[in-house]
Amino acid sequence: MLNKQQSEDDVRRLFEAFGNIEECTILRGPDGNSKGCAFVKYSSHAEAQAAINALHGSQTMPVSSSVTQASENW
């Protein structure tokens, strides 16, 4: 879960160490406020797997953040 004050740039800075990020999107409600969740899309599966292996279940950002793998059906 992201701190609701964090931006896409904050998320990119954390994940860019693992590869080329094609998309970074924070989920937002109709009011534009963060829902505390983001999706990061890498150029390759190997880059995504490296991020998952390094960060899965870890607390990585101030206040609260947890990294988990999204379902491929999403």
Side-chain angles (χ1 to χ4, degrees), residues 5-63:
Q5 304 306 312
Q6 291 170 312
S7 69
E8 279 86 355
D9 287 340
D10 295 327
V11 176
R12 276 185 182 276
R13 278 192 288 278
L14 173 65
F15 285 89
E16 67 189 358
F18 303 99
N20 182 44
I21 297 172
E22 291 186 352
E23 293 178 38
C24 178
T25 306
I26 292 179
L27 298 181
R28 298 184 183 279
D31 59 3
N33 290 327
S34 170
K35 290 188 172 188
C37 180
F39 288 97
V40 177
K41 180 179 178 183
Y42 285 96
S43 296
S44 74
H45 176 78
E47 293 168 331
Q49 194 61 55
I52 292 166
N53 291 344
L55 301 174
H56 178 70
S58 67
Q59 299 246 331
T60 55
M61 294 182 167
V63 182

